[in-house]
Amino acid sequence: MAVASVPVLSARQLERRAEALLDLAVAVGHAAGPPVPVEWLVEHALDLCIVWDALPTDPDAPVLGGLDPVRGEVVLNDREAKRFAAFPGLESFTLAHEVGHWLLHVPPARRRQPMLPGLGRGQARPCAGGGSTATARREQQADTFAALLLMPARLLVPRCAGLDLSRFPARYKLRDEFGVSITAMNLRLRALGFGWFDEQNRYIAPKRARAAGGAVAVPHSLAGRAVRGEGAPATGCDSDAVRPPLTPALSPRGRGGPLSLPHRLTLLRV
Amino acid sequence: MAEAGFGEYLRGLRKSAGLSQRDLAARAGIDFTYLSKIENGRVEPPAEETVLTLARVLGAEADDLLGRARKMPRDLKRLVAAGSPEKALLLRRIAQTPMSAERVRRLLSLLEEAEEGKRDGSR
């Protein structure tokens, strides 16, 4: 089996991996603020190639991109070009997601290694959506990594101070500043303890969320610490310690997958 | 070490220039998804005009880039049209054969030696 086992990584460990990449970008002169130069990270820091190519996709579970570890390519799906154009933050998130797979799920020994003679040529194998628990876990880790890379707490939390995040303009301002989708931003804000957001991206105050049968994302005290930058929860996306149980109405799983983001394809030659 | 193909070489030039695929594609007047396909060998190198534009934007040697794209520059085409079939064959072989810089230098010196021998013989 060519796919590596899913590493056990805490939210803090994932955050450190993402921060190390960000530090690299800053060290060579990129601005320390958002948006994070994810394209530069892919091409220069990791020496991966970006290519637009046609991947099999599905209207109900769109495949936005993939990773070819043998060629060292991050593939963006040509067939989803309209979706990328309609949602500008999607491209950055897809790139960051594949970076997550590259760093977390492709063992260094398998990176850019051609197939051994006699074993035949591998086939692209989808491993997203509806698969095993390990597959779902890998996808969730890649999504979490992407959120941490594009919306690091050290950049996002200070910018939340003084903003009324219950209002759309404040969150759209953050979305534009970080170059992500509003869904990704809402999920990250929720993970950082700034509140809940429903499927229409409306803010749900903690009391209302509780009345609806759900748990509050993070205690107010913790959210307050986050605003002051005194040890906010790392992500909330991948840590049971800070991740609340989700109500059916609010659960992203109920809407098709981890973090409600469209499924992706990871190309692994087996 | 094998010489980089057109796409790989182009990507190296672009990255050295600090440009993203979108930056270069916009400056060269082509689609950035097309550029990504060129760089990764998904499609053949583009037409001569596009190669020349890419060379200009990147500050690269046009003949070098054309050679890697296996394109014959327009002035050489004219030369071929006006010259002998043997010259045309020679130029075509040179244009179509991947060669290291060292091999090209050897061929050039062979031509120079032939030229000198011709001059010496005529004295």
Side-chain angles (χ1 to χ4, degrees):
Chain A
M1 185 74 176
V3 178
S5 60
V6 186
V8 178
L9 291 165
S10 70
R12 183 65 195 129
Q13 285 172 313
L14 284 174
E15 190 171 38
R16 281 201 198 101
R17 301 288 290 271
E19 283 179 347
L21 267 184
L22 294 173
D23 289 342
L24 192 62
V26 174
V28 299
H30 282 277
V36 168
V38 65
E39 204 172 320
W40 182 89
L41 291 172
V42 171
E43 287 205 300
H44 292 263
L46 300 173
D47 201 24
L48 293 168
C49 303
I50 298 173
V51 59
W52 288 79
D53 206 349
L55 298 173
T57 190
D58 181 334
D60 297 327
V63 172
L64 297 178
L67 176 71
D68 186 332
V70 173
R71 291 188 175 129
E73 286 179 350
V74 172
V75 184
L76 294 166
N77 197 352
D78 254 347
R79 291 179 174 147
E80 295 292 344
K82 282 183 184 171
R83 196 184 302 270
F84 280 115
F87 302 100
L90 218 47
E91 188 178 323
S92 294
F93 201 94
T94 305
L95 289 175
H97 173 98
E98 301 307 338
V99 167
H101 279 310
W102 177 258
L103 293 177
L104 306 174
H105 307 137
V106 180
R110 285 201 57 242
R111 293 175 188 167
R112 298 190 184 88
Q113 294 303 310
M115 293 297 297
L116 291 170
L119 291 181
R121 191 170 173 78
Q123 287 186 321
R125 194 174 68 84
C127 67
S132 65
T133 306
T135 298
R137 178 85 179 150
R138 263 193 297 274
E139 294 305 309
Q140 191 177 1
Q141 273 186 345
D143 274 343
T144 302
F145 181 87
L148 290 165
L149 185 65
L150 298 176
M151 297 165 282
R154 69 188 188 191
L155 296 183
L156 181 54
V157 169
R159 280 165 178 77
C160 291
L163 290 182
D164 180 358
L165 295 173
S166 68
R167 301 184 65 81
F168 278 100
R171 283 181 280 131
Y172 277 86
K173 177 177 175 288
L174 290 173
R175 174 200 69 173
D176 294 342
E177 210 175 346
F178 283 80
V180 295
S181 69
I182 192 65
T183 304
M185 179 54 73
N186 283 341
L187 288 165
R188 186 71 178 117
L189 289 171
R190 190 194 74 183
L192 285 166
F194 288 108
W196 286 85
F197 306 93
D198 67 12
E199 291 184 20
Q200 279 75 48
N201 291 323
R202 289 173 305 203
Y203 179 76
I204 300 175
K207 277 185 184 174
R208 277 177 56 207
R210 191 181 289 119
V216 178
V218 176
H220 284 298
S221 57
L222 196 52
R225 274 166 46 201
V227 172
R228 291 192 298 274
E230 296 170 5
T235 86
C237 297
D238 200 40
S239 164
D240 291 334
V242 293
R243 183 170 165 197
L246 301 175
T247 65
L250 297 172
S251 168
R253 290 178 193 284
R255 286 179 277 131
L259 298 180
S260 299
L261 293 163
H263 291 181
R264 293 172 183 82
L265 179 76
T266 295
L267 306 179
L268 293 170
R269 287 166 195 280
V270 291
Chain B
M1 195 171 138
E3 198 171 31
F6 178 77
E8 191 182 344
Y9 186 69
L10 182 67
R11 180 170 54 241
L13 287 176
R14 173 180 62 77
K15 287 171 71 174
S16 299
L19 297 174
S20 68
Q21 287 176 340
R22 271 191 173 76
D23 293 336
L24 177 57
R27 292 186 200 186
I30 59 175
D31 185 78
F32 65 93
T33 65
Y34 176 52
L35 176 62
S36 82
K37 290 179 178 69
I38 295 169
E39 286 187 352
N40 291 282
R42 298 292 204 275
V43 294
E44 290 295 312
E48 181 185 339
E49 283 304 316
T50 306
V51 175
L52 291 174
T53 307
L54 289 166
R56 181 174 45 74
V57 172
L58 293 166
E61 286 288 334
D63 281 349
D64 182 23
L65 215 51
L66 282 169
R68 287 173 193 270
R70 314 269 175 97
K71 305 278 180 190
M72 189 178 284
R74 199 172 291 159
D75 56 340
L76 288 184
K77 281 181 192 163
R78 276 197 295 268
L79 187 68
V80 168
S84 67
E86 289 79 11
K87 274 186 181 174
L89 178 64
L90 175 65
L91 289 172
R92 185 172 294 118
R93 287 293 299 274
I94 290 171
Q96 291 175 347
T97 308
M99 281 187 283
S100 66
E102 179 53 35
R103 198 168 164 206
V104 172
R105 274 195 292 274
R106 282 209 305 272
L107 278 175
L108 283 171
S109 53
L110 272 175
L111 280 172
E112 282 165 13
E113 281 170 24
E115 190 64 25
E116 281 169 11
K118 197 173 147 190
R119 277 201 297 268
D120 292 343
S122 65
R123 277 176 197 160

